Amino acid sequence: MLVRELKRLLLFVGPAIFLILLVAKLCGKTLISLPSLTSPFSNGLSSEFQESGTPSNHVGHPFAGYTEGAYHEIFSLSTSDKKYFKIKFPPHRGINPNAIPHPTLESTWIIVSQRHDHSVKDSVWFAELFCNAVFTGEGLSCIEPPLILPIGRTRGHDKCIGNLGYFGFNVGPHDARVFYGPTAPYTVYGSNSQYTCFGQWIQDLRLLTDWPFEFFNEAQFSMPTELQRPEPYGMVEKNYFIFWDRDENVYAHYDIFPKRVFARLSDDGSTGPDLAPKVATGDEKCMNKYMQKLPLENESIHQATNSISITLCKRSDPGCQPDDSNTFILTVFQHKKFYSGHAVYDPYVTLFEQMAPFALYGISTKPFWISGRGMPGEWKDLNGNPSDQTQMIYVTSLSWKKAGQKYHGYIDDVLFVLFGIEDSDTGGIDIMAGDLLADLGLCALL
């Protein structure tokens, strides 16, 4: 365990530390409140690759605790106690899960996670587990023992030097995100880079699993394709997400803070220029309104999930017609706090427009709290000791729950939100999509 922890600490020594944000105080802002579904707007590399912060000697630091009223709580639609459910990969253990509806089987999902039970001590081999899964009394669980997603080693180890030299020995993918685009499923994962030490790659998921026959675009991500980015590169690139505009052109979003970076993506993984400067003035105004800077040490902001497209009215409403005024790209980012040797992640929602140049539309004014997440004193750490911090839940995946639903949905559709738990377990919660958008601060009204 000590060797593995030392390896983890090496992974992010060297890259520049991001500036930090926190949601602004509630005083004086304009919000969308969506809990009731009554109005037109109603209702990575993962934590395994932690940056090495400077641990605080202040055990139970308030930034790592729970404050009443500081969160918007979301509840499961399918569990009797309204708390999250577990995701199981027996006989293996996984972290950082993903799920998408199975293309042909009813009430069945394809689930994927990072394998987290190496049988060889100090192994440098990484793999993603996958299987078909159904709901059981234990949660969402594999029907049969999971298989290994056949993603191999990538080239590029010669650029991992100094404290990052360990990356050069890496074999296999890290922290895959599995998701639907408008027509096809994909996976984005971390692996050795051709352009820097460690990068992000994409591949059509249908060519990696036992997928029913479909025609596919041979030129678009049929083989492992590294996602390039506008320079400069960091030594370790992670947590990219892919999004599609209204016309199904594909883009990659690289950073959300301290400034957004995103660009048009070509089939070979190359990109055009960074488009974010075109909306930087308005985006920064929105961020400054709903977020504030926090201490540079021990805290940071992470992109977290894939993207989905959502129309802010009900599918059940005959007058609800998707257009540029009501349909946006949704993703989750996370505020990381690292105190007393323990990381805590608080998830926030952001929406941006579905047509270039993709200006920010709204940002959560408070993080959402997943029902069942352990509050200080309610859960025990891996050593069996009661913790005085909130339980670490690291959100990794958004997907529509209903069979046949891919990239686009409405606020009255059911959404899966999946997450890793304390780098040792996996969980998920199913909610009405609109419930995720409560307390959304609008950029356009500033």
Side-chain angles (χ1 to χ4, degrees), residues 251-265:
Y251 296 77
H253 202 290
Y254 307 97
D255 300 306
I256 194 168
F257 196 79
K259 63 179 182 177
R260 295 176 71 200
V261 180
F262 54 89
R264 178 79 178 266
L265 186 64

Side-chain angles (χ1 to χ4, degrees), residues 98-161:
N98 306 259
I100 57 173
H102 193 278
T104 58
L105 300 177
E106 289 293 327
S107 301
T108 304
W109 292 266
I110 297 172
I111 59 175
V112 180
S113 76
Q114 184 87 47
R115 183 174 174 177
H116 199 57
D117 55 351
H118 287 277
S119 57
V120 178
K121 184 179 180 181
D122 302 331
S123 173
V124 296
W125 178 77
F126 291 83
E128 295 286 332
L129 303 170
F130 81 98
C131 68
N132 294 337
V134 298
F135 277 101
T136 68
E138 295 185 343
L140 188 58
S141 183
C142 290
I143 299 171
E144 297 177 341
L147 301 175
I148 300 297
L149 206 62
I151 298 173
R153 184 174 186 261
T154 56
R155 302 177 115 180
H157 63 281
D158 59 317
K159 296 179 176 61
C160 297
I161 58 177

Side-chain angles (χ1 to χ4, degrees), residues 237-410:
E237 293 289 340
K238 59 173 185 169
N239 294 339
Y240 297 176
F241 69 81
I242 307 303
F243 66 96
W244 285 262
D245 67 16
R246 179 189 61 197
D247 300 321
E248 298 187 5
N249 299 306
V250 62
Y251 296 77
H253 202 290
Y254 307 97
D255 300 306
I256 194 168
F257 196 79
K259 63 179 182 177
R260 295 176 71 200
V261 180
F262 54 89
R264 178 79 178 266
L265 186 64
S266 299
D267 290 347
D268 64 357
S270 61
T271 62
D274 180 14
L275 299 176
K278 295 182 178 181
V279 290
T281 300
D283 286 357
E284 290 173 7
K285 186 177 181 181
C286 189
M287 290 182 179
N288 289 337
K289 174 66 176 179
Y290 299 120
M291 303 177 181
Q292 66 183 35
K293 295 179 181 179
L294 289 177
L296 184 63
E297 284 190 320
N298 304 329
E299 303 190 24
S300 54
I301 293 293
H302 295 255
Q303 292 187 165
T305 69
N306 57 290
S307 70
I308 57 173
S309 170
I310 186 167
T311 296
L312 301 184
C313 53
K314 297 180 182 180
R315 181 187 294 271
S316 59
D317 181 357
C320 177
Q321 298 298 322
D323 58 35
D324 290 346
S325 71
N326 63 12
T327 302
F328 301 93
I329 309 301
L330 184 154
T331 187
V332 169
F333 67 91
Q334 293 176 140
H335 173 201
K336 176 187 175 181
K337 309 162 210 176
F338 187 76
Y339 293 98
S340 303
H342 180 253
V344 172
Y345 294 83
D346 284 336
Y348 296 78
V349 171
T350 186
L351 296 177
F352 58 88
E353 294 177 355
Q354 67 168 347
M355 290 300 292
F358 309 108
L360 286 176
Y361 176 77
I363 303 171
S364 296
T365 59
K366 60 174 69 173
F368 60 88
W369 181 272
I370 295 167
S371 181
R373 176 182 174 183
M375 296 184 188
E378 290 185 346
W379 64 282
K380 294 181 179 181
D381 62 25
L382 296 180
N383 297 319
N385 301 315
S387 177
D388 57 1
Q389 296 190 11
T390 56
Q391 190 176 33
M392 190 194 86
I393 284 183
Y394 187 95
V395 177
T396 54
S397 174
L398 298 174
S399 63
W400 300 108
K401 183 178 179 181
K402 184 179 178 181
Q405 196 167 357
K406 295 182 179 178
Y407 191 59
H408 177 252
Y410 297 79

